[in-house]
């Protein structure tokens, strides 16, 4: 099987711009390396790299972003720079402040010198556990996928013990020479089946500054919104034009995908209020397609209807490995003027690692049943080369979920929809209890809480 790309070691330093005329841009211009040309054509053939919601009708800033990008990319030499990580609007700024000679130097410098990139991904590594680390072939392929990115939201990390995911990141660092670290969520779920969210990040250039689990209500009352509460983290980034942003990770329950994707709107509002920030990416396995969310469901999903949210992975993208499915389960939804202009045009897509690496179907399935979805952020032409201090140890504890005071508000006593007792085996009434018993369950709730 083929190994993609060149050594990550070559990607550490921004592309330098020479010449005294370059003082207006600080002398440092990071450029994007074409690490794997296969990635540009990966995923659904012909799928939009920057997907549009609602029949491709875009509005506001995001629409401007798409149109601007397409116009700019067709403009001769500037497309080379844009292709190497600079925003079209950044190029306009450079063009306005630089002489023709120095602009040419930027172009030449970016084409031939060391380069960098800033890619964000979401990857459901299907039931990730020790077995995928001890299988060297699978582990190495996961590493080949992860090394493409500076920041990854991982879903379906199974074990309460973090040994497997930490050893994966250690092997990732050994393979790349980079300094990745990881921020690990609580073990989330309503039953013995639980998962963790993990953020893996190049901690020398991007780091989480604060984080929390979204408080979605009372689990024991059955009035909460999520089986696995969204894990919210704010990141500070050195090499991108956008210096601070928030990621919200989610893996919805397939059975409750409509209500959970709708409730992501509440989680998004909460993150805005908690951190007073608008630039947010919601990313993960939304289960937002095929039988779990159908076209008739979209009108009642606020996250989809809100005009200030841009669904960057379109409905026609296939994020599933199986040859029997063509579903856009995995999504990235962007909001905030800064974030919408920070996404490099045409970079949001699924990464079909089977095609890119030339894998057999069996080996592909051994890695995951999902492809990652990814995008690229525009680089900062004034990046000075500064680095964050890296930690000698791996693994940052993301803390525990919190729960509000429990009461019976909102509990549906007349149907079996939702939960009764949070699937807890030690709770007096759980979901399998007969609906007739729900009234007494409510009394039990009170005493239990
Ligand atoms: Ca919950």
């Amino acid at each position: 099987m083929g190994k993609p790309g060149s050594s990550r070691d070559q990607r550490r330093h921004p592309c330098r711009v020479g010449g005294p005329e370059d003082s207006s841009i600080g002398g440092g211009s990071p450029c994007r390396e074409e690490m794997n040309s296969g990635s540009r054509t990966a995923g659904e053939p012909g799928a939009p790299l920057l997907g549009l919601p609602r029949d491709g009708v875009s509005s506001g800033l995001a629409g401007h972003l798409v149109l601007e990008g397409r116009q700019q990319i067709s403009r001769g030499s500037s497309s080379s720079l844009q292709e190497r990580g600079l925003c079209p609007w950044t190029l306009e700024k450079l063009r306005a402040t630089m002489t023709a000679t120095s602009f040419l130097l930027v172009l030449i410098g970016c084409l031939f010198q060391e380069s960098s990139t800033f890619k964000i991904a979401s990857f459901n590594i299907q039931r990730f556990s020790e077995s995928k680390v001890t299988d060297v072939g699978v582990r190495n392929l996961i590493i080949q996928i992860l090394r493409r990115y500076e920041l990854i939201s991982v879903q379906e990390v199974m074990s309460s013990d973090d040994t497997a995911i930490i050893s994966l990141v250690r092997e990732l660092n050994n393979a790349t020479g980079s300094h990745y670290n990881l921020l690990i969520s609580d073990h989330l779920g309503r039953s013995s089946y639980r998962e963790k969210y993990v953020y893996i990040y190049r901690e020398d250039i991007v780091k989480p500054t604060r984080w929390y689990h979204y408080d979605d209500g009372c689990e024991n009352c059955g009035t909460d919104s999520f089986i696995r509460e969204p894990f919210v983290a704010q990141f500070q980034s050195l090499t991108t034009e956008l210096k601070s942003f928030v990621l919200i990770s989610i893996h919805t329950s397939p059975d409750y995908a409509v209500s959970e994707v709708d409730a992501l709107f509440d989680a998004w509002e909460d993150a805005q209020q908690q951190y007073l920030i608008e630039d947010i990416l919601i990313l993960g396995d939304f289960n937002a397609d095929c039988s779990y969310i159908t076209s008739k469901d979209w009108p009642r999903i606020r996250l989809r209807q809100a005009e200030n949210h841009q669904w960057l992975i379109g409905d026609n993208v296939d994020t599933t490995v199986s040859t029997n499915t063509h579903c856009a389960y995995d999504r990235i939804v962007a909001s905030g003027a800064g974030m919408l202009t920070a996404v490099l045009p045409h970079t949001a897509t699924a990464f079909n690692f089977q095609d890119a690496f030339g894998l057999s179907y069996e080996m592909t399935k051994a890695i995951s049943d999902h492809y990652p979805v990814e995008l690229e952020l525009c680089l900062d032409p004034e990046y000075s080369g500064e680095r964050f201090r890296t930690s000698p140890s791996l693994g940052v504890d993301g803390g525990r979920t919190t729960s509000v005071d429990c009461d019976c508000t909102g509990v549906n006593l007349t149907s079996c929809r939702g939960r009764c007792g949070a699937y807890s085996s030690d709770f007096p009434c759980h979901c399998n209890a007969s609906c007739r018993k729900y009234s007494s369950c409510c009394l039990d709730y009170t005493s239990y809480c």
Side-chain angles (χ1 to χ4, degrees):
M1 62 195 72
K3 294 288 172 61
S6 55
S7 166
R8 193 57 182 255
D9 297 350
Q10 296 173 354
R11 309 172 65 211
R12 287 185 181 176
H13 302 293
C15 166
R16 289 284 167 185
V17 183
E21 301 94 333
D22 298 330
S23 58
S24 63
I25 57 166
S29 176
C31 310
R32 185 176 63 75
E33 174 190 16
E34 287 296 338
M35 209 183 150
N36 182 352
S37 59
S39 69
R40 290 289 154 218
T41 55
E44 167 66 9
L49 292 181
L50 188 59
L52 296 176
R54 297 188 289 279
D55 302 316
V57 177
S58 185
S59 60
L61 241 168
H64 173 74
L65 172 101
V66 175
L67 292 172
E68 274 288 294
R70 283 181 183 154
Q71 287 161 3
Q72 289 291 339
I73 206 161
S74 65
R75 280 198 205 169
S77 63
S78 65
S79 67
S80 300
L81 281 174
Q82 183 184 317
E83 282 293 297
R84 304 186 91 77
L86 295 181
C87 279
W89 31 93
T90 305
L91 291 174
E92 287 299 332
K93 191 170 73 177
L94 292 176
R95 199 182 273 121
T97 56
M98 296 168 70
T99 66
T101 304
S102 57
F103 191 78
L104 188 63
L105 284 173
V106 171
L107 172 63
I108 293 170
C110 287
L111 286 174
F112 293 106
Q113 293 190 21
E114 287 182 306
S115 58
S116 187
T117 186
F118 197 98
K119 283 185 174 179
I120 298 175
S122 166
F123 190 18
N124 178 335
I125 318 181
Q126 188 186 18
R127 290 185 167 243
F128 177 84
S129 63
E130 192 68 34
S131 63
K132 293 195 179 183
V133 181
T134 52
D135 184 323
V136 176
V138 169
R139 182 186 74 204
N140 286 342
L141 286 165
I142 294 173
I143 286 171
Q144 294 300 330
I145 295 168
L146 297 180
R147 69 184 297 164
R148 295 168 46 80
Y149 308 109
E150 278 62 41
L151 175 55
I152 311 114
S153 161
V154 176
Q155 300 99 44
E156 279 200 36
V157 174
M158 300 303 295
S159 174
S160 60
D161 174 279
D162 298 325
T163 306
I165 190 71
I166 287 176
S167 70
L168 176 71
V169 173
R170 185 176 295 112
E171 294 295 335
L172 173 66
N173 287 341
N174 289 340
T176 61
S178 295
H179 296 277
Y180 286 89
N181 208 332
L182 64 163
L183 172 63
I184 306 166
S185 83
D186 198 358
H187 207 205
L188 302 166
R190 291 184 184 136
S191 66
S192 57
Y193 179 89
R194 288 173 183 259
E195 299 176 9
K196 293 187 174 191
Y197 301 113
V198 173
Y199 290 110
I200 300 174
Y201 50 93
R202 275 272 309 275
E203 68 169 341
D204 55 331
I205 57 169
V206 59
K207 66 176 183 182
T209 51
R210 46 185 175 170
W211 52 85
Y212 67 94
H213 299 82
Y214 173 61
D215 186 345
D216 64 335
C218 173
E219 269 67 32
N220 288 331
C221 307
T223 55
D224 63 321
S225 314
F226 295 97
I227 289 184
R228 295 172 283 268
E229 294 80 12
F231 188 39
V232 181
Q234 183 171 14
F235 288 88
Q236 191 179 350
S237 170
L238 292 174
T239 61
T240 50
E241 283 198 312
L242 185 64
K243 297 302 180 190
S244 180
F245 53 86
V246 164
L247 300 190
I248 302 177
S249 287
I250 181 65
H251 179 200
T252 69
S253 162
D255 293 340
Y256 298 99
V258 173
S259 63
E260 291 199 6
V261 174
D262 176 62
L264 282 172
F265 188 85
D266 300 319
W268 167 79
E269 279 193 324
D270 184 67
Q272 278 194 318
Q273 290 163 9
Q274 296 252 4
Y275 288 164
L276 299 177
I277 189 169
E278 293 188 343
D279 299 319
I280 296 173
L281 290 178
I282 306 171
L283 71 175
D285 179 2
F286 287 37
N287 284 300
D289 201 0
C290 294
S291 62
Y292 303 132
I293 296 182
T294 64
S295 55
K296 70 176 172 45
D297 296 316
W298 288 121
R300 58 193 169 108
I301 294 177
R302 288 168 294 161
L303 193 74
R304 179 65 168 226
Q305 298 305 318
E307 288 196 352
N308 47 2
H309 289 88
Q310 186 81 14
W311 287 59
L312 300 181
I313 304 297
D315 293 345
N316 55 346
V317 176
D318 184 9
T319 72
T320 61
V321 166
S322 171
T323 52
N324 299 319
T325 54
H326 188 295
C327 307
Y329 288 148
D330 303 83
R331 305 287 190 134
I332 306 177
V333 177
S335 60
M339 180 58 80
L340 292 174
T341 53
V343 178
L344 196 66
H346 310 284
T347 60
T349 187
F351 176 60
N352 183 326
F353 53 84
Q354 181 179 12
D355 286 352
F357 298 173
L359 303 180
S360 68
Y361 187 56
E362 290 67 31
M363 181 54 96
T364 308
K365 296 274 281 184
I367 297 168
S368 179
D369 54 351
H370 291 255
Y371 299 128
V373 288
E374 64 182 34
L375 58 74
E376 192 168 333
L377 293 187
C378 299
L379 294 174
D380 179 6
E382 298 185 30
Y383 171 56
S384 64
E386 177 192 2
R387 302 278 158 164
F388 291 130
R389 181 180 298 174
T390 56
S391 169
S393 61
L394 291 179
V396 177
D397 185 350
R400 305 278 83 84
T401 51
T402 56
S403 185
V404 297
D405 289 341
C406 214
D407 60 35
C408 294
T409 306
V411 174
N412 186 339
L413 301 176
T414 60
S415 82
C416 283
R417 291 179 66 83
R419 284 138 288 105
C420 177
Y423 292 122
S424 170
S425 58
D426 59 356
F427 193 76
C429 303
H430 56 82
C431 195
N432 294 325
S434 160
C435 288
R436 287 174 300 172
K437 298 179 180 175
Y438 273 30
S439 294
S440 60
C441 268
C442 197
L443 295 174
D444 290 338
Y445 286 138
T446 308
S447 60
Y448 182 79
C449 297

